[in-house]
Coordinates of all heavy atoms in Angstrom, one line a residue:
M1 N 16.8 -288.6 134.1 CA 17.9 -288.3 134.9 C 18.5 -286.9 134.7 O 19.2 -286.4 135.5 CB 19.0 -289.3 134.6 CG 18.7 -290.8 135.0 SD 18.4 -291.0 136.8 CE 20.1 -290.6 137.4
A2 N 18.1 -286.3 133.5 CA 18.6 -284.9 133.3 C 18.0 -283.9 134.3 O 18.6 -282.9 134.6 CB 18.1 -284.5 131.9
N3 N 16.9 -284.2 134.9 CA 16.3 -283.3 135.9 C 16.6 -283.7 137.3 O 16.1 -283.1 138.3 CB 14.8 -283.3 135.7 CG 14.4 -282.7 134.4 OD1 15.0 -281.8 133.9 ND2 13.4 -283.3 133.7
S4 N 17.4 -284.8 137.5 CA 17.8 -285.2 138.9 C 18.9 -284.4 139.4 O 19.7 -283.8 138.7 CB 18.3 -286.7 138.8 OG 17.3 -287.5 138.3
P5 N 19.0 -284.3 140.8 CA 20.1 -283.5 141.4 C 21.4 -284.1 141.0 O 21.5 -285.3 140.8 CB 19.8 -283.6 142.9 CG 18.4 -284.1 143.0 CD 18.1 -284.8 141.8
A6 N 22.5 -283.3 141.1 CA 23.8 -283.8 140.8 C 24.2 -284.8 141.8 O 23.9 -284.8 143.0 CB 24.8 -282.6 140.8
G7 N 24.9 -285.9 141.3 CA 25.3 -287.0 142.2 C 24.3 -288.1 142.3 O 24.5 -289.0 143.1
T8 N 23.2 -288.0 141.7 CA 22.2 -289.1 141.8 C 22.7 -290.3 141.0 O 23.1 -290.1 139.8 CB 20.8 -288.6 141.1 OG1 20.4 -287.5 141.8 CG2 19.8 -289.7 141.2
P9 N 22.7 -291.5 141.6 CA 23.2 -292.6 140.9 C 22.4 -293.0 139.7 O 21.2 -292.7 139.6 CB 23.1 -293.7 141.9 CG 22.8 -293.1 143.2 CD 22.3 -291.7 143.0
E10 N 23.1 -293.5 138.7 CA 22.4 -293.9 137.4 C 21.3 -295.0 137.7 O 20.3 -295.0 137.0 CB 23.4 -294.5 136.4 CG 24.3 -293.4 135.8 CD 23.5 -292.4 135.0 OE1 22.6 -292.8 134.2 OE2 23.8 -291.2 135.1
A11 N 21.5 -295.8 138.7 CA 20.5 -296.8 139.1 C 19.1 -296.2 139.4 O 18.1 -296.8 139.3 CB 20.9 -297.7 140.2
F12 N 19.1 -294.9 139.9 CA 17.9 -294.3 140.2 C 16.9 -294.2 139.0 O 15.7 -294.4 139.2 CB 18.1 -292.9 140.7 CG 16.9 -292.1 141.0 CD1 16.2 -292.3 142.2 CD2 16.4 -291.2 140.1 CE1 15.0 -291.6 142.5 CE2 15.2 -290.5 140.4 CZ 14.5 -290.7 141.6
G13 N 17.4 -294.0 137.8 CA 16.6 -294.0 136.6 C 15.9 -295.3 136.4 O 14.7 -295.4 136.1
W14 N 16.6 -296.4 136.6 CA 16.1 -297.8 136.4 C 15.0 -298.1 137.4 O 14.0 -298.6 137.1 CB 17.2 -298.8 136.4 CG 17.9 -298.8 135.1 CD1 19.2 -298.2 134.9 CD2 17.6 -299.4 133.9 NE1 19.6 -298.4 133.6 CE2 18.6 -299.1 133.0 CE3 16.5 -300.1 133.5 CZ2 18.6 -299.6 131.6 CZ3 16.4 -300.6 132.1 CH2 17.5 -300.3 131.3
V15 N 15.3 -297.7 138.7 CA 14.4 -298.0 139.8 C 13.1 -297.2 139.6 O 12.0 -297.7 139.7 CB 15.1 -297.7 141.1 CG1 14.1 -297.8 142.2 CG2 16.2 -298.7 141.4
N16 N 13.3 -296.0 139.2 CA 12.2 -295.1 139.0 C 11.3 -295.6 137.9 O 10.0 -295.7 138.0 CB 12.6 -293.7 138.6 CG 11.5 -292.7 138.6 OD1 10.4 -292.9 139.1 ND2 11.8 -291.5 137.9
A17 N 11.9 -296.1 136.8 CA 11.1 -296.6 135.7 C 10.4 -297.9 136.1 O 9.2 -298.1 135.7 CB 12.1 -296.9 134.5
C18 N 11.1 -298.8 136.8 CA 10.4 -300.0 137.3 C 9.2 -299.8 138.1 O 8.2 -300.4 138.0 CB 11.4 -300.9 138.0 SG 12.7 -301.6 136.9
V19 N 9.4 -298.8 139.1 CA 8.3 -298.5 140.0 C 7.1 -297.9 139.2 O 6.0 -298.3 139.4 CB 8.7 -297.6 141.1 CG1 7.6 -297.1 141.9 CG2 9.7 -298.4 142.0
S20 N 7.4 -296.9 138.4 CA 6.3 -296.2 137.7 C 5.6 -297.1 136.6 O 4.5 -296.9 136.4 CB 6.9 -294.9 137.0 OG 7.8 -295.3 136.0
E21 N 6.3 -298.1 136.1 CA 5.7 -299.0 135.1 C 5.0 -300.2 135.9 O 4.1 -300.8 135.3 CB 6.7 -299.5 134.1 CG 7.3 -298.5 133.3 CD 6.3 -297.6 132.5 OE1 5.2 -298.1 132.1 OE2 6.7 -296.5 132.2
S22 N 5.4 -300.4 137.1 CA 4.7 -301.5 137.9 C 3.4 -301.0 138.4 O 2.5 -301.9 138.7 CB 5.6 -302.0 139.0 OG 6.8 -302.5 138.5
A23 N 3.2 -299.7 138.7 CA 2.0 -299.2 139.2 C 0.7 -299.6 138.4 O -0.3 -300.0 138.9 CB 2.1 -297.7 139.5
P24 N 0.8 -299.3 137.1 CA -0.4 -299.7 136.3 C -0.7 -301.2 136.3 O -1.9 -301.6 136.3 CB -0.1 -299.2 134.9 CG 1.0 -298.3 135.0 CD 1.7 -298.6 136.3
V25 N 0.3 -302.0 136.3 CA 0.2 -303.5 136.3 C -0.5 -303.9 137.6 O -1.5 -304.6 137.6 CB 1.5 -304.2 136.1 CG1 1.4 -305.7 136.3 CG2 2.1 -303.9 134.7
A26 N 0.0 -303.4 138.7 CA -0.5 -303.8 140.0 C -1.9 -303.2 140.1 O -2.8 -303.9 140.7 CB 0.4 -303.2 141.1
S27 N -2.2 -302.1 139.6 CA -3.6 -301.5 139.7 C -4.6 -302.4 138.9 O -5.7 -302.6 139.4 CB -3.6 -300.1 139.2 OG -2.8 -299.2 139.9
L28 N -4.2 -302.8 137.7 CA -5.1 -303.6 136.9 C -5.3 -305.0 137.6 O -6.4 -305.5 137.6 CB -4.6 -303.7 135.5 CG -4.9 -302.6 134.6 CD1 -4.2 -302.7 133.3 CD2 -6.4 -302.4 134.4
L29 N -4.3 -305.5 138.1 CA -4.4 -306.8 138.9 C -5.4 -306.6 140.0 O -6.2 -307.5 140.3 CB -3.1 -307.3 139.4 CG -2.2 -307.9 138.3 CD1 -0.8 -308.2 138.9 CD2 -2.8 -309.1 137.7
E30 N -5.3 -305.5 140.8 CA -6.2 -305.3 141.9 C -7.6 -305.1 141.5 O -8.6 -305.5 142.1 CB -5.6 -304.1 142.7 CG -6.4 -303.9 144.0 CD -6.3 -305.1 145.0 OE1 -5.4 -305.9 144.9 OE2 -7.1 -305.1 145.9
V31 N -7.8 -304.3 140.4 CA -9.1 -304.1 139.8 C -9.8 -305.5 139.5 O -10.9 -305.7 139.8 CB -9.1 -303.2 138.6 CG1 -10.4 -303.2 137.9 CG2 -8.8 -301.8 139.1
R32 N -9.0 -306.3 138.8 CA -9.5 -307.6 138.4 C -9.9 -308.5 139.7 O -10.9 -309.2 139.7 CB -8.6 -308.4 137.6 CG -8.4 -307.7 136.2 CD -7.8 -308.6 135.2 NE -8.5 -309.9 135.0 CZ -9.5 -310.0 134.2 NH1 -10.1 -309.0 133.6 NH2 -10.1 -311.2 134.1
R33 N -9.0 -308.4 140.7 CA -9.3 -309.1 141.9 C -10.5 -308.6 142.6 O -11.3 -309.4 143.2 CB -8.1 -309.0 142.9 CG -8.2 -309.9 144.1 CD -7.0 -309.7 145.0 NE -7.1 -308.5 145.7 CZ -7.8 -308.2 146.8 NH1 -8.6 -309.2 147.3 NH2 -7.8 -307.1 147.4
R34 N -10.8 -307.3 142.6 CA -11.9 -306.7 143.3 C -13.2 -306.8 142.6 O -14.2 -306.4 143.1 CB -11.6 -305.3 143.7 CG -10.5 -305.1 144.7 CD -10.4 -303.7 145.1 NE -9.3 -303.5 146.1 CZ -9.2 -302.4 146.8 NH1 -10.0 -301.4 146.6 NH2 -8.2 -302.3 147.6
R35 N -13.2 -307.2 141.3 CA -14.4 -307.3 140.5 C -15.5 -308.1 141.2 O -16.7 -307.9 140.9 CB -14.2 -307.9 139.2 CG -13.8 -306.9 138.2 CD -13.8 -307.5 136.8 NE -13.2 -306.7 135.9 CZ -12.9 -307.0 134.6 NH1 -13.2 -308.2 134.2 NH2 -12.4 -306.2 133.8
A36 N -15.2 -308.9 142.1 CA -16.2 -309.8 142.8 C -17.1 -309.0 143.7 O -17.9 -309.6 144.3 CB -15.4 -310.9 143.5
G37 N -17.0 -307.7 143.8 CA -17.9 -307.0 144.6 C -17.3 -305.9 145.5 O -18.0 -305.0 146.0
S38 N -16.0 -305.9 145.6 CA -15.3 -304.9 146.4 C -15.2 -303.6 145.6 O -15.1 -303.7 144.4 CB -14.0 -305.3 146.9 OG -14.1 -306.5 147.7
P39 N -15.1 -302.4 146.3 CA -15.0 -301.2 145.5 C -13.6 -301.1 144.8 O -12.6 -301.6 145.3 CB -15.1 -300.1 146.6 CG -15.0 -300.8 147.9 CD -15.3 -302.2 147.7
T40 N -13.6 -300.5 143.6 CA -12.4 -300.5 142.8 C -11.9 -299.0 142.7 O -11.0 -298.8 141.8 CB -12.6 -301.1 141.4 OG1 -13.7 -300.4 140.8 CG2 -12.9 -302.5 141.5
G41 N -12.4 -298.1 143.5 CA -12.0 -296.7 143.3 C -10.6 -296.4 143.5 O -10.0 -295.7 142.7
Y42 N -10.0 -296.9 144.5 CA -8.5 -296.6 144.8 C -7.6 -297.2 143.7 O -6.8 -296.4 143.2 CB -8.1 -297.1 146.2 CG -6.6 -296.9 146.4 CD1 -6.1 -295.6 146.6 CD2 -5.8 -298.0 146.5 CE1 -4.8 -295.4 146.8 CE2 -4.4 -297.8 146.7 CZ -3.9 -296.5 146.9 OH -2.6 -296.3 147.1
P43 N -7.8 -298.5 143.3 CA -6.9 -298.9 142.3 C -7.1 -298.2 140.9 O -6.1 -298.0 140.2 CB -7.1 -300.4 142.1 CG -8.2 -300.8 143.1 CD -8.5 -299.6 143.9
L44 N -8.3 -297.8 140.6 CA -8.6 -297.1 139.4 C -7.9 -295.7 139.5 O -7.4 -295.2 138.5 CB -10.1 -297.0 139.1 CG -10.7 -298.3 138.6 CD1 -12.2 -298.1 138.5 CD2 -10.1 -298.7 137.3
A45 N -8.0 -295.1 140.6 CA -7.4 -293.7 140.8 C -5.9 -293.8 140.7 O -5.2 -293.0 140.1 CB -7.8 -293.1 142.2
L46 N -5.3 -294.9 141.2 CA -3.9 -295.1 141.1 C -3.5 -295.4 139.7 O -2.5 -294.8 139.2 CB -3.5 -296.3 142.0 CG -2.0 -296.6 142.1 CD1 -1.3 -295.4 142.7 CD2 -1.8 -297.9 142.9
L47 N -4.3 -296.1 139.0 CA -4.0 -296.4 137.5 C -4.1 -295.1 136.7 O -3.2 -294.8 135.9 CB -5.1 -297.3 137.0 CG -5.0 -297.7 135.5 CD1 -3.7 -298.4 135.2 CD2 -6.2 -298.5 135.1
V48 N -5.1 -294.3 136.9 CA -5.2 -293.0 136.2 C -4.0 -292.0 136.6 O -3.4 -291.4 135.8 CB -6.6 -292.3 136.5 CG1 -6.6 -290.9 135.9 CG2 -7.7 -293.1 135.9
G49 N -3.7 -292.0 137.9 CA -2.6 -291.2 138.4 C -1.3 -291.6 137.8 O -0.5 -290.8 137.4
A50 N -1.0 -292.9 137.7 CA 0.2 -293.4 137.1 C 0.3 -293.0 135.6 O 1.3 -292.7 135.2 CB 0.3 -294.9 137.3
A51 N -0.8 -293.2 135.0 CA -0.9 -292.8 133.5 C -0.6 -291.3 133.3 O 0.2 -290.9 132.4 CB -2.2 -293.2 132.9
C52 N -1.2 -290.5 134.2 CA -1.0 -289.0 134.1 C 0.5 -288.7 134.4 O 1.1 -287.8 133.7 CB -1.9 -288.3 135.0 SG -3.6 -288.4 134.5
L53 N 1.0 -289.3 135.4 CA 2.4 -289.0 135.8 C 3.4 -289.4 134.7 O 4.4 -288.7 134.4 CB 2.8 -289.6 137.1 CG 2.2 -288.9 138.4 CD1 2.5 -289.7 139.6 CD2 2.7 -287.5 138.5
S54 N 3.1 -290.6 134.1 CA 4.0 -291.1 133.1 C 3.9 -290.2 131.9 O 5.0 -289.9 131.3 CB 3.6 -292.5 132.7 OG 4.4 -293.0 131.7
T55 N 2.7 -289.8 131.5 CA 2.6 -288.9 130.4 C 3.2 -287.5 130.6 O 3.9 -287.0 129.8 CB 1.1 -288.7 130.1 OG1 0.5 -290.0 129.8 CG2 0.8 -287.8 128.9
A56 N 3.1 -287.0 131.8 CA 3.7 -285.7 132.2 C 5.2 -285.8 132.1 O 5.9 -284.9 131.6 CB 3.2 -285.3 133.6
A57 N 5.8 -286.9 132.6 CA 7.2 -287.1 132.5 C 7.7 -287.1 131.1 O 8.7 -286.6 130.8 CB 7.6 -288.4 133.3
Q58 N 6.9 -287.8 130.2 CA 7.3 -287.9 128.8 C 7.2 -286.5 128.2 O 8.1 -286.1 127.4 CB 6.4 -288.9 128.1 CG 6.6 -290.3 128.5 CD 8.0 -290.9 128.2 OE1 8.7 -290.4 127.3 NE2 8.4 -291.9 128.9
L59 N 6.2 -285.8 128.5 CA 6.0 -284.4 127.9 C 7.1 -283.5 128.4 O 7.5 -282.5 127.7 CB 4.6 -283.9 128.2 CG 3.5 -284.6 127.5 CD1 2.1 -284.1 128.0 CD2 3.6 -284.3 126.0
A60 N 7.6 -283.7 129.6 CA 8.6 -282.7 130.2 C 9.9 -282.8 129.4 O 10.6 -281.8 129.4 CB 8.8 -283.1 131.7
V61 N 10.2 -283.9 128.8 CA 11.4 -284.0 128.0 C 11.2 -284.1 126.5 O 12.1 -284.3 125.8 CB 12.2 -285.3 128.5 CG1 12.6 -285.1 129.9 CG2 11.4 -286.5 128.3
A62 N 10.0 -283.8 126.1 CA 9.6 -283.9 124.7 C 10.2 -282.6 124.0 O 10.4 -281.6 124.5 CB 8.1 -283.9 124.5
K63 N 10.5 -282.8 122.7 CA 10.9 -281.7 121.9 C 9.7 -280.8 121.7 O 8.6 -281.3 121.5 CB 11.4 -282.2 120.5 CG 12.7 -283.0 120.6 CD 13.3 -283.3 119.3 CE 14.5 -284.1 119.5 NZ 15.5 -283.9 118.6
P64 N 9.9 -279.5 121.7 CA 8.8 -278.6 121.6 C 8.1 -278.7 120.2 O 8.7 -278.9 119.2 CB 9.4 -277.2 121.7 CG 10.7 -277.4 122.4 CD 11.2 -278.8 122.0
G65 N 6.8 -278.7 120.3 CA 6.0 -278.9 119.0 C 5.0 -280.0 119.1 O 5.2 -280.9 119.9
V66 N 4.0 -280.0 118.3 CA 3.0 -280.9 118.4 C 3.5 -282.4 118.1 O 3.1 -283.3 118.8 CB 1.8 -280.6 117.4 CG1 0.8 -281.7 117.3 CG2 1.2 -279.2 117.7
S67 N 4.4 -282.5 117.1 CA 4.9 -283.9 116.8 C 5.7 -284.4 117.9 O 5.6 -285.6 118.2 CB 5.7 -283.8 115.5 OG 6.8 -283.0 115.6
G68 N 6.5 -283.6 118.6 CA 7.3 -284.0 119.7 C 6.4 -284.4 120.9 O 6.7 -285.4 121.5
W69 N 5.4 -283.7 121.1 CA 4.4 -284.0 122.2 C 3.7 -285.3 121.9 O 3.6 -286.2 122.8 CB 3.5 -282.9 122.4 CG 4.1 -281.6 122.9 CD1 5.3 -281.5 123.6 CD2 3.7 -280.3 122.6 NE1 5.6 -280.1 123.8 CE2 4.6 -279.4 123.2 CE3 2.6 -279.8 121.9 CZ2 4.5 -278.0 123.1 CZ3 2.5 -278.4 121.8 CH2 3.4 -277.5 122.4
L70 N 3.2 -285.5 120.7 CA 2.5 -286.7 120.3 C 3.4 -287.9 120.4 O 3.0 -288.9 121.0 CB 1.9 -286.6 119.0 CG 0.7 -285.6 118.8 CD1 0.3 -285.5 117.3 CD2 -0.5 -286.1 119.6
L71 N 4.6 -287.8 119.9 CA 5.5 -288.9 119.9 C 6.0 -289.3 121.4 O 6.2 -290.4 121.7 CB 6.7 -288.6 119.1 CG 6.4 -288.7 117.6 CD1 7.7 -288.2 116.8 CD2 6.0 -290.0 117.1
S72 N 6.0 -288.3 122.2 CA 6.5 -288.5 123.6 C 5.4 -289.2 124.4 O 5.7 -289.9 125.4 CB 6.9 -287.2 124.3 OG 5.7 -286.4 124.6
V73 N 4.1 -289.1 124.0 CA 3.1 -289.7 124.8 C 2.8 -291.2 124.3 O 2.3 -292.0 125.1 CB 1.8 -288.9 124.6 CG1 0.6 -289.6 125.2 CG2 1.9 -287.5 125.2
V74 N 3.3 -291.6 123.2 CA 3.1 -292.9 122.6 C 3.6 -294.0 123.6 O 2.9 -295.0 123.8 CB 3.7 -293.0 121.2 CG1 3.7 -294.5 120.8 CG2 2.9 -292.2 120.2
P75 N 4.8 -293.9 124.2 CA 5.2 -295.0 125.1 C 4.3 -295.3 126.2 O 3.9 -296.4 126.6 CB 6.6 -294.6 125.5 CG 7.1 -293.7 124.5 CD 5.9 -293.0 124.0
A76 N 3.8 -294.2 126.9 CA 2.9 -294.4 128.0 C 1.6 -295.0 127.6 O 1.0 -295.9 128.2 CB 2.6 -293.1 128.7
L77 N 1.0 -294.5 126.5 CA -0.2 -295.1 125.9 C -0.1 -296.5 125.5 O -1.0 -297.3 125.7 CB -0.8 -294.2 124.8 CG -1.2 -292.8 125.2 CD1 -1.6 -292.0 124.0 CD2 -2.3 -292.8 126.3
A78 N 1.0 -296.8 124.8 CA 1.2 -298.1 124.3 C 1.4 -299.1 125.5 O 0.9 -300.2 125.5 CB 2.5 -298.2 123.5
F79 N 2.1 -298.7 126.6 CA 2.2 -299.6 127.7 C 0.9 -299.8 128.4 O 0.6 -301.0 128.7 CB 3.2 -299.0 128.7 CG 3.4 -299.8 129.9 CD1 4.1 -301.0 129.9 CD2 2.8 -299.5 131.1 CE1 4.3 -301.8 131.0 CE2 2.9 -300.3 132.2 CZ 3.7 -301.5 132.2
M80 N 0.1 -298.8 128.5 CA -1.3 -299.0 129.1 C -2.1 -299.9 128.2 O -2.8 -300.8 128.7 CB -1.9 -297.6 129.3 CG -1.2 -296.7 130.2 SD -1.2 -297.3 131.9 CE -2.8 -297.0 132.4
A81 N -2.1 -299.7 126.9 CA -2.8 -300.6 126.0 C -2.4 -302.0 126.1 O -3.2 -303.0 126.1 CB -2.7 -300.0 124.6
L82 N -1.1 -302.2 126.2 CA -0.5 -303.6 126.3 C -0.9 -304.3 127.6 O -1.3 -305.4 127.5 CB 1.0 -303.5 126.2 CG 1.7 -304.9 126.3 CD1 1.3 -305.8 125.1 CD2 3.2 -304.6 126.3
V83 N -0.9 -303.5 128.7 CA -1.3 -304.1 129.9 C -2.8 -304.5 129.9 O -3.2 -305.6 130.3 CB -1.0 -303.1 131.1 CG1 -1.7 -303.6 132.4 CG2 0.5 -303.0 131.3
K84 N -3.6 -303.6 129.3 CA -5.0 -303.9 129.2 C -5.3 -305.1 128.3 O -6.1 -306.0 128.6 CB -5.7 -302.7 128.7 CG -7.2 -302.9 128.3 CD -8.0 -303.2 129.6 CE -9.5 -303.4 129.2 NZ -10.2 -304.3 130.0
L85 N -4.5 -305.2 127.2 CA -4.7 -306.3 126.3 C -4.3 -307.7 127.0 O -5.0 -308.7 126.9 CB -3.8 -306.1 125.1 CG -3.9 -307.2 124.0 CD1 -5.2 -307.2 123.4 CD2 -2.8 -306.9 123.0
V86 N -3.2 -307.7 127.7 CA -2.7 -308.9 128.4 C -3.7 -309.3 129.5 O -4.1 -310.5 129.6 CB -1.3 -308.7 129.0 CG1 -1.0 -309.8 129.9 CG2 -0.3 -308.5 127.9
F87 N -4.2 -308.4 130.3 CA -5.1 -308.7 131.4 C -6.5 -308.9 131.0 O -7.4 -309.4 131.7 CB -5.0 -307.7 132.5 CG -3.7 -307.9 133.2 CD1 -2.8 -306.8 133.3 CD2 -3.3 -309.0 133.9 CE1 -1.6 -306.9 133.9 CE2 -2.1 -309.2 134.5 CZ -1.2 -308.1 134.5
A88 N -6.9 -308.5 129.8 CA -8.3 -308.7 129.3 C -8.6 -310.2 129.1 O -9.7 -310.6 129.3 CB -8.5 -308.0 128.0
R89 N -7.6 -311.0 128.8 CA -7.7 -312.4 128.6 C -7.6 -313.2 129.9 O -7.9 -314.4 130.0 CB -6.7 -312.9 127.6 CG -6.9 -312.4 126.3 CD -7.7 -313.4 125.5 NE -7.8 -313.0 124.1 CZ -8.7 -313.5 123.3 NH1 -9.6 -314.4 123.8 NH2 -8.8 -313.1 122.1
T90 N -7.0 -312.6 130.9 CA -6.8 -313.3 132.2 C -8.1 -313.3 133.0 O -8.7 -312.3 133.3 CB -5.8 -312.5 133.1 OG1 -4.6 -312.4 132.3 CG2 -5.4 -313.3 134.3
P91 N -8.6 -314.5 133.3 CA -9.9 -314.6 134.1 C -9.7 -314.1 135.5 O -8.6 -314.2 136.1 CB -10.2 -316.1 134.1 CG -8.9 -316.8 133.9 CD -8.0 -315.8 133.1
A92 N -10.7 -313.4 136.0 CA -10.7 -312.9 137.4 C -10.8 -314.1 138.3 O -11.6 -315.0 138.1 CB -11.8 -311.9 137.6
I93 N -10.1 -314.0 139.4 CA -10.1 -315.1 140.4 C -11.1 -314.7 141.5 O -10.9 -313.6 142.1 CB -8.7 -315.3 141.0 CG1 -7.8 -315.8 139.9 CG2 -8.8 -316.3 142.1 CD1 -6.3 -315.9 140.4
V94 N -12.1 -315.5 141.7 CA -13.1 -315.2 142.7 C -12.8 -316.0 143.9 O -12.7 -317.3 143.8 CB -14.5 -315.5 142.2 CG1 -15.6 -315.2 143.2 CG2 -14.8 -314.7 140.9
P95 N -12.6 -315.4 145.1 CA -12.2 -316.2 146.2 C -13.4 -317.0 146.7 O -14.6 -316.6 146.6 CB -11.9 -315.1 147.3 CG -12.5 -313.9 146.8 CD -12.6 -314.0 145.3
D96 N -13.1 -318.2 147.3 CA -14.2 -319.0 147.9 C -14.7 -318.4 149.1 O -14.0 -317.8 149.9 CB -13.6 -320.4 148.2 CG -13.1 -321.2 147.0 OD1 -13.7 -320.9 145.9 OD2 -12.2 -322.0 147.1
P97 N -16.1 -318.5 149.3 CA -16.7 -317.8 150.5 C -16.3 -318.5 151.8 O -15.9 -319.5 151.9 CB -18.2 -317.9 150.2 CG -18.4 -318.8 149.1 CD -17.0 -319.1 148.4

C-alpha cells in the first residue's frame, strides 16, 4: 500500500493479496485438470508469472542487502511450496469420454 496512489482504500491491499495468491492455486488446479492430455502451457506460464510478480513485489519493499532480499522472498517461495505439497496428494480428475 505504500506504493499506491493517495486515497486508495485499505481494502485494495487485501483484494490485491487475495487475487495474487489465488493465481498460483488456480494455475496448479488447471495443470492437474489438464494432465489428461490437454496442453498445460498457459497455466504453467501463469504460475511462473504469478511467482515472479509476487517475488518482485516482495523485493520492492525489502530492506537493502542480501539478508533483506533473501528474507523477503521466503513468503512467496513458502506459499508456492505449500500449494505444491497440498496438490501433490490430490488425485487428478480424468473426465469421462
Side-chain angles (χ1 to χ4, degrees):
M1 292 299 295
N3 296 320
S4 300
T8 302
E10 289 295 318
F12 178 79
W14 285 98
V15 171
N16 188 18
C18 289
V19 169
S20 63
E21 298 302 334
S22 296
V25 173
S27 297
L28 279 173
L29 285 172
E30 187 63 16
V31 167
R32 292 197 58 82
R33 187 183 73 78
R34 291 185 181 193
R35 271 194 192 170
S38 299
T40 58
Y42 177 69
L44 285 175
L46 185 61
L47 177 65
V48 170
C52 290
L53 286 175
S54 180
T55 302
Q58 295 292 339
L59 287 173
V61 296
K63 293 188 181 212
V66 176
S67 64
W69 297 330
L70 289 174
L71 290 173
S72 71
V73 174
V74 169
L77 294 177
F79 180 75
M80 298 295 285
L82 179 62
V83 169
K84 173 64 176 150
L85 181 67
V86 168
F87 289 118
R89 293 264 187 200
T90 307
I93 298 172
V94 179
D96 293 333

